[in-house]
Amino acid sequence: MTQAIALSLTVPPVLSKTDEIALTDLYVRGTPANTLRAYERDLIYLTAWKGIRLKQGLNWPETESTALSFLLDHARDLRDADLGDPARVTAETLIKAGLRKSLTCPAPSTLDRRIASWRAFHRMRNLNSPFEAPLIRQARTKARRAAARPHTPKSARPITREVLEALLEACGSSLRGVRDRAILAVGWASGGRRRSEIVGFRCEDVSLEDFEKQGLIWLNMVETKTTQQGRTPRLVLKGRAARLLVAWIDAGGIGDGPLFRAISKADRPLARGLSPDAIYQILKRRLQQAGLPENYATPHGLRSGFLTQAALDGAPIQAAMRLSLHRSALQAQRYYDDVEITENPATDLLE
């Protein structure tokens, strides 16, 4: 994950080798893990695209003509392009290399993220980005509008309370089941946590001081996608979700290190934590055991399900956002808007 930082960072010549290493380490430690992974993927893609398209390596600073070519190549559907079109030939090569999925126009969010990474690489080198040029800024705006798509949910369906109950029931009584039940309950009840956030919890992030008397567990998160490091508010678990988490901690003998960890074939906890993909695999397995299709929902369904259930129960959106940690009320409102009008609690006010 440090390759993007290391390769993209150019330090002033007055710095010693020791200071150069220290500065690179500072960038790595000060950048969220998810952002580092995105930088890594984007650097690989950008390098491959330019090498194939222009037969050159990346320049610092990059030229405006290269930036414009990149924008234009990714702002149209290449299925309709001539077979010899350089943009199409490049895209087909990237597809064969596993770096691109299809010839269709990438989603505006994907293009925006890659450009944002490219701009970040320039900032790391203390250089101006060509994407700040007026012509390219205007072209980006037009490309975003031309490729605008209807909003599609990240999960096929939200995991509402009814679905969650079925998943919890399907977990069984083994240690693996106790763990999976805690993962699903914590991921849902703490505000709909992302996969990376769930596997990122460590024992020191969990405070049980109020559990015996009040049934409350406090969760500390270092950072999230929408909050800065050290500025993430504490989250609270109570009721059954709190009890299920304590059951896992007690059954697994979890005293330090990763909160949720791998389990051996002998049904014993291991020292290593889970990867974000493990949450997907756990959910897929429990969906099947609950009698639902494995593609019924993705892990994001925990997040969308929490907000959807909050809307169904008539919880104010501001209260739900205090747990979900959505930065934008408009984004959170989408889940409230997805609730069927006949199920909206406001329709029962007279009753």
Side-chain angles (χ1 to χ4, degrees), residues 8 44 48 83 129 153 160 165 182 215 245-246 263 311 343-344 346:
S8 299
I44 292 172
L83 295 180
S129 163
T160 53
E165 292 284 6
L245 178 56
V246 170
I263 294 178
E343 299 179 21
N344 189 323

PDB file of all heavy atoms in Angstrom, residues 8 44 48 83 129 153 160 165 182 215 245-246 263 311 343-344 346:
ATOM      1  N   SER A   8       5.415   8.280  -5.794  1.00  0.00           N
ATOM      2  CA  SER A   8       4.882   9.565  -6.228  1.00  0.00           C
ATOM      3  C   SER A   8       5.456  10.739  -5.456  1.00  0.00           C
ATOM      4  O   SER A   8       5.283  11.879  -5.842  1.00  0.00           O
ATOM      5  CB  SER A   8       3.358   9.571  -6.074  1.00  0.00           C
ATOM      6  OG  SER A   8       2.786   8.568  -6.880  1.00  0.00           O
ATOM      7  N   ILE A  44      -1.242   2.172 -10.470  1.00  0.00           N
ATOM      8  CA  ILE A  44      -1.028   1.069 -11.408  1.00  0.00           C
ATOM      9  C   ILE A  44      -1.812   1.320 -12.692  1.00  0.00           C
ATOM     10  O   ILE A  44      -1.299   1.142 -13.808  1.00  0.00           O
ATOM     11  CB  ILE A  44      -1.445  -0.272 -10.767  1.00  0.00           C
ATOM     12  CG1 ILE A  44      -0.501  -0.632  -9.624  1.00  0.00           C
ATOM     13  CG2 ILE A  44      -1.479  -1.389 -11.813  1.00  0.00           C
ATOM     14  CD1 ILE A  44      -0.949  -1.826  -8.816  1.00  0.00           C
ATOM     15  N   ALA A  48      -0.236   2.170 -16.423  1.00  0.00           N
ATOM     16  CA  ALA A  48      -0.527   1.254 -17.533  1.00  0.00           C
ATOM     17  C   ALA A  48      -1.206   1.984 -18.674  1.00  0.00           C
ATOM     18  O   ALA A  48      -0.872   1.773 -19.845  1.00  0.00           O
ATOM     19  CB  ALA A  48      -1.401   0.103 -17.033  1.00  0.00           C
ATOM     20  N   LEU A  83     -12.527  -0.107 -34.452  1.00  0.00           N
ATOM     21  CA  LEU A  83     -11.637  -1.115 -33.880  1.00  0.00           C
ATOM     22  C   LEU A  83     -10.207  -0.597 -33.732  1.00  0.00           C
ATOM     23  O   LEU A  83      -9.470  -1.031 -32.843  1.00  0.00           O
ATOM     24  CB  LEU A  83     -11.654  -2.379 -34.743  1.00  0.00           C
ATOM     25  CG  LEU A  83     -12.990  -3.127 -34.807  1.00  0.00           C
ATOM     26  CD1 LEU A  83     -12.861  -4.356 -35.707  1.00  0.00           C
ATOM     27  CD2 LEU A  83     -13.438  -3.541 -33.405  1.00  0.00           C
ATOM     28  N   SER A 129      -1.193  20.539 -10.662  1.00  0.00           N
ATOM     29  CA  SER A 129      -1.804  19.493 -11.470  1.00  0.00           C
ATOM     30  C   SER A 129      -2.378  20.072 -12.757  1.00  0.00           C
ATOM     31  O   SER A 129      -2.970  21.154 -12.746  1.00  0.00           O
ATOM     32  CB  SER A 129      -2.925  18.810 -10.675  1.00  0.00           C
ATOM     33  OG  SER A 129      -3.776  18.087 -11.528  1.00  0.00           O
ATOM     34  N   PRO A 153     -28.150   1.416  -5.697  1.00  0.00           N
ATOM     35  CA  PRO A 153     -27.663   1.059  -4.363  1.00  0.00           C
ATOM     36  C   PRO A 153     -26.464   0.140  -4.437  1.00  0.00           C
ATOM     37  O   PRO A 153     -26.308  -0.643  -5.363  1.00  0.00           O
ATOM     38  CB  PRO A 153     -28.873   0.357  -3.721  1.00  0.00           C
ATOM     39  CG  PRO A 153     -29.673  -0.152  -4.882  1.00  0.00           C
ATOM     40  CD  PRO A 153     -29.486   0.851  -5.976  1.00  0.00           C
ATOM     41  N   THR A 160     -32.759  -5.262   6.555  1.00  0.00           N
ATOM     42  CA  THR A 160     -33.612  -4.686   7.585  1.00  0.00           C
ATOM     43  C   THR A 160     -33.666  -5.635   8.786  1.00  0.00           C
ATOM     44  O   THR A 160     -33.066  -6.708   8.773  1.00  0.00           O
ATOM     45  CB  THR A 160     -35.020  -4.438   7.036  1.00  0.00           C
ATOM     46  OG1 THR A 160     -35.516  -5.663   6.458  1.00  0.00           O
ATOM     47  CG2 THR A 160     -35.009  -3.365   5.945  1.00  0.00           C
ATOM     48  N   GLU A 165     -32.607 -10.670  11.673  1.00  0.00           N
ATOM     49  CA  GLU A 165     -33.029 -11.706  12.621  1.00  0.00           C
ATOM     50  C   GLU A 165     -32.811 -13.098  12.013  1.00  0.00           C
ATOM     51  O   GLU A 165     -32.344 -14.023  12.694  1.00  0.00           O
ATOM     52  CB  GLU A 165     -34.503 -11.523  12.975  1.00  0.00           C
ATOM     53  CG  GLU A 165     -34.813 -10.279  13.784  1.00  0.00           C
ATOM     54  CD  GLU A 165     -34.417 -10.411  15.245  1.00  0.00           C
ATOM     55  OE1 GLU A 165     -33.799 -11.428  15.611  1.00  0.00           O
ATOM     56  OE2 GLU A 165     -34.723  -9.484  16.022  1.00  0.00           O
ATOM     57  N   ALA A 182     -21.999 -11.835  16.376  1.00  0.00           N
ATOM     58  CA  ALA A 182     -21.523 -10.563  16.923  1.00  0.00           C
ATOM     59  C   ALA A 182     -21.154  -9.591  15.810  1.00  0.00           C
ATOM     60  O   ALA A 182     -21.456  -8.400  15.883  1.00  0.00           O
ATOM     61  CB  ALA A 182     -20.314 -10.812  17.832  1.00  0.00           C
ATOM     62  N   GLY A 215     -25.775  -1.882  30.667  1.00  0.00           N
ATOM     63  CA  GLY A 215     -25.905  -2.662  29.443  1.00  0.00           C
ATOM     64  C   GLY A 215     -25.379  -1.949  28.219  1.00  0.00           C
ATOM     65  O   GLY A 215     -25.799  -2.246  27.101  1.00  0.00           O
ATOM     66  N   LEU A 245     -21.903  -9.100  21.507  1.00  0.00           N
ATOM     67  CA  LEU A 245     -20.483  -8.785  21.428  1.00  0.00           C
ATOM     68  C   LEU A 245     -19.746  -9.327  22.659  1.00  0.00           C
ATOM     69  O   LEU A 245     -18.657  -9.915  22.538  1.00  0.00           O
ATOM     70  CB  LEU A 245     -20.273  -7.273  21.309  1.00  0.00           C
ATOM     71  CG  LEU A 245     -18.806  -6.817  21.268  1.00  0.00           C
ATOM     72  CD1 LEU A 245     -18.050  -7.508  20.137  1.00  0.00           C
ATOM     73  CD2 LEU A 245     -18.716  -5.296  21.126  1.00  0.00           C
ATOM     74  N   VAL A 246     -20.331  -9.150  23.839  1.00  0.00           N
ATOM     75  CA  VAL A 246     -19.714  -9.676  25.060  1.00  0.00           C
ATOM     76  C   VAL A 246     -19.634 -11.197  25.000  1.00  0.00           C
ATOM     77  O   VAL A 246     -18.643 -11.803  25.437  1.00  0.00           O
ATOM     78  CB  VAL A 246     -20.501  -9.216  26.304  1.00  0.00           C
ATOM     79  CG1 VAL A 246     -20.011  -9.946  27.557  1.00  0.00           C
ATOM     80  CG2 VAL A 246     -20.359  -7.708  26.490  1.00  0.00           C
ATOM     81  N   ILE A 263     -10.978 -18.009  12.627  1.00  0.00           N
ATOM     82  CA  ILE A 263     -11.206 -19.183  13.466  1.00  0.00           C
ATOM     83  C   ILE A 263     -10.714 -20.409  12.725  1.00  0.00           C
ATOM     84  O   ILE A 263     -10.941 -20.563  11.523  1.00  0.00           O
ATOM     85  CB  ILE A 263     -12.701 -19.314  13.829  1.00  0.00           C
ATOM     86  CG1 ILE A 263     -13.118 -18.142  14.713  1.00  0.00           C
ATOM     87  CG2 ILE A 263     -12.986 -20.638  14.525  1.00  0.00           C
ATOM     88  CD1 ILE A 263     -14.580 -18.151  15.094  1.00  0.00           C
ATOM     89  N   ALA A 311     -35.787   4.632   9.183  1.00  0.00           N
ATOM     90  CA  ALA A 311     -36.879   5.332   8.517  1.00  0.00           C
ATOM     91  C   ALA A 311     -38.210   4.630   8.769  1.00  0.00           C
ATOM     92  O   ALA A 311     -39.228   5.272   9.042  1.00  0.00           O
ATOM     93  CB  ALA A 311     -36.599   5.424   7.018  1.00  0.00           C
ATOM     94  N   GLU A 343     -45.428   2.448   3.859  1.00  0.00           N
ATOM     95  CA  GLU A 343     -44.810   2.029   5.106  1.00  0.00           C
ATOM     96  C   GLU A 343     -44.225   3.194   5.891  1.00  0.00           C
ATOM     97  O   GLU A 343     -43.649   3.006   6.962  1.00  0.00           O
ATOM     98  CB  GLU A 343     -43.705   1.002   4.806  1.00  0.00           C
ATOM     99  CG  GLU A 343     -44.222  -0.254   4.125  1.00  0.00           C
ATOM    100  CD  GLU A 343     -43.092  -1.234   3.816  1.00  0.00           C
ATOM    101  OE1 GLU A 343     -42.026  -1.128   4.460  1.00  0.00           O
ATOM    102  OE2 GLU A 343     -43.278  -2.087   2.950  1.00  0.00           O
ATOM    103  N   ASN A 344     -44.380   4.386   5.359  1.00  0.00           N
ATOM    104  CA  ASN A 344     -43.856   5.567   6.032  1.00  0.00           C
ATOM    105  C   ASN A 344     -44.667   5.832   7.303  1.00  0.00           C
ATOM    106  O   ASN A 344     -45.892   5.963   7.247  1.00  0.00           O
ATOM    107  CB  ASN A 344     -43.962   6.774   5.085  1.00  0.00           C
ATOM    108  CG  ASN A 344     -43.239   7.994   5.611  1.00  0.00           C
ATOM    109  OD1 ASN A 344     -43.245   8.257   6.811  1.00  0.00           O
ATOM    110  ND2 ASN A 344     -42.636   8.745   4.710  1.00  0.00           N
ATOM    111  N   ALA A 346     -45.206   8.368   8.900  1.00  0.00           N
ATOM    112  CA  ALA A 346     -45.970   9.618   8.862  1.00  0.00           C
ATOM    113  C   ALA A 346     -47.374   9.417   8.313  1.00  0.00           C
ATOM    114  O   ALA A 346     -48.266  10.229   8.571  1.00  0.00           O
ATOM    115  CB  ALA A 346     -45.226  10.650   8.009  1.00  0.00           C
TER     116      ALA A 346
END
